[in-house]
Amino acid sequence: MIIRHDVPDQQSLINEREYPGIITFFQGDGAGTLITPFWILTAAHTARNIPNFHTIAIADSSYTIDKVVPHPGFVGNEPGDVDDIALVKLASPVNEVATFDLYEGESELGQEVLLFGRGDYGNGEVGIIGTDKKLRKATNLVDEVNDYWIKFRFDAPPNCTVLEGVSGIGDSGGPALIEKEDKLSVAGVSSWQDHEDEAYGLYEAVEYYTRVSRYISWIRSICE
């Protein structure tokens, strides 16, 4: 996660055990969200890199991936291709970790989202500083919504959220969460960033997350 320059990086660091349902496929690179005991929601461009019989760690236990189901509409030739969403099934259920709900509303615009990832960290003035594979969070406000994306800009202070930020390289597939009825629901899946040929993660970059509410029926048809 890359956050505003005037907030210490330590404020974005969180205890891994607080959110065991936010997973990493490659020890810090490529993220996903546990939405049922068997199924993980992620980006299609992340899921296509998962090898057969790949194992991941969730809450100190190892789980083998049974199959990967990318959305059939995903082409994946370049950043910005739509339908960048996938489901990953585990061979055995995760029974002792809370799962995340899916955001089913149409009111994402203007809402604050909570972002998670273990990829590169840094700040809006310098971009990427490094990577240590630790779980971090950031926040942002949804600026625009369309059929495929929820979008938000990385604004510089003071006109930004308390922990304003965007994803770093390696955070793809991670969630944008909206709090609803005292629960965090997955509203977006990290897909790509438009930084207009500037360094990754600088202020004014625009983040694109796949809009989960568009894919509710598809997700449920796979997870049944």
Side-chain angles (χ1 to χ4, degrees), residues 182-199:
D182 297 324
K183 292 193 70 176
L184 291 172
S185 300
V186 188
V189 174
S190 178
S191 179
W192 66 288
Q193 183 183 118
D194 183 359
H195 45 86
E196 297 186 348
D197 297 325
E198 299 290 338

Side-chain angles (χ1 to χ4, degrees), residues 170-186:
D171 290 333
S172 289
L177 304 175
I178 289 177
E179 187 171 358
K180 183 179 180 182
E181 297 176 356
D182 297 324
K183 292 193 70 176
L184 291 172
S185 300
V186 188

Side-chain angles (χ1 to χ4, degrees), residues 123-204:
N123 67 64
E125 283 196 338
V126 300
I128 294 169
I129 293 175
T131 183
D132 56 14
K133 306 186 186 304
K134 295 180 180 179
L135 185 62
R136 285 175 168 82
K137 66 180 179 181
T139 58
N140 212 307
L141 293 178
V142 178
D143 298 313
E144 186 178 339
V145 174
N146 62 31
D147 284 346
Y148 296 100
W149 311 107
I150 61 171
K151 299 189 285 184
F152 37 88
R153 186 178 60 253
F154 191 8
D155 292 319
N159 300 314
C160 62
T161 62
V162 173
L163 197 59
E164 180 91 1
V166 289
S167 297
I169 295 173
D171 290 333
S172 289
L177 304 175
I178 289 177
E179 187 171 358
K180 183 179 180 182
E181 297 176 356
D182 297 324
K183 292 193 70 176
L184 291 172
S185 300
V186 188
V189 174
S190 178
S191 179
W192 66 288
Q193 183 183 118
D194 183 359
H195 45 86
E196 297 186 348
D197 297 325
E198 299 290 338
Y200 200 98
L202 295 178
Y203 289 127
E204 304 303 322

Side-chain angles (χ1 to χ4, degrees), residues 34-223:
L34 192 69
I35 59 171
T36 82
F38 274 104
W39 289 95
I40 296 167
L41 184 67
T42 187
H45 80 271
T46 297
R48 68 183 176 187
N49 296 319
I50 299 173
N52 294 334
F53 310 113
H54 186 59
T55 60
I56 60 174
I58 303 176
D60 298 325
S61 296
S62 293
Y63 293 87
T64 300
I65 291 173
D66 178 54
K67 64 178 177 179
V68 175
V69 186
H71 191 278
F74 180 67
V75 176
N77 291 328
E78 58 185 40
D81 285 340
V82 298
D83 300 325
D84 189 11
I85 191 167
L87 289 159
V88 177
K89 187 179 182 183
L90 301 172
S92 57
V94 183
N95 291 319
E96 297 182 357
V97 172
T99 60
F100 288 87
D101 292 339
L102 302 175
Y103 185 83
E104 300 186 45
E106 296 182 354
S107 303
E108 300 99 331
L109 185 63
Q111 293 210 52
E112 183 170 298
V113 288
L114 182 60
L115 315 174
F116 287 94
R118 297 175 176 83
D120 292 341
Y121 65 89
N123 67 64
E125 283 196 338
V126 300
I128 294 169
I129 293 175
T131 183
D132 56 14
K133 306 186 186 304
K134 295 180 180 179
L135 185 62
R136 285 175 168 82
K137 66 180 179 181
T139 58
N140 212 307
L141 293 178
V142 178
D143 298 313
E144 186 178 339
V145 174
N146 62 31
D147 284 346
Y148 296 100
W149 311 107
I150 61 171
K151 299 189 285 184
F152 37 88
R153 186 178 60 253
F154 191 8
D155 292 319
N159 300 314
C160 62
T161 62
V162 173
L163 197 59
E164 180 91 1
V166 289
S167 297
I169 295 173
D171 290 333
S172 289
L177 304 175
I178 289 177
E179 187 171 358
K180 183 179 180 182
E181 297 176 356
D182 297 324
K183 292 193 70 176
L184 291 172
S185 300
V186 188
V189 174
S190 178
S191 179
W192 66 288
Q193 183 183 118
D194 183 359
H195 45 86
E196 297 186 348
D197 297 325
E198 299 290 338
Y200 200 98
L202 295 178
Y203 289 127
E204 304 303 322
V206 177
E207 195 93 298
Y208 288 73
Y209 274 56
T210 300
R211 189 182 185 188
V212 169
S213 62
R214 173 184 169 86
Y215 299 93
I216 295 295
S217 295
W218 176 76
I219 292 170
R220 288 182 173 160
S221 71
I222 301 299
C223 293

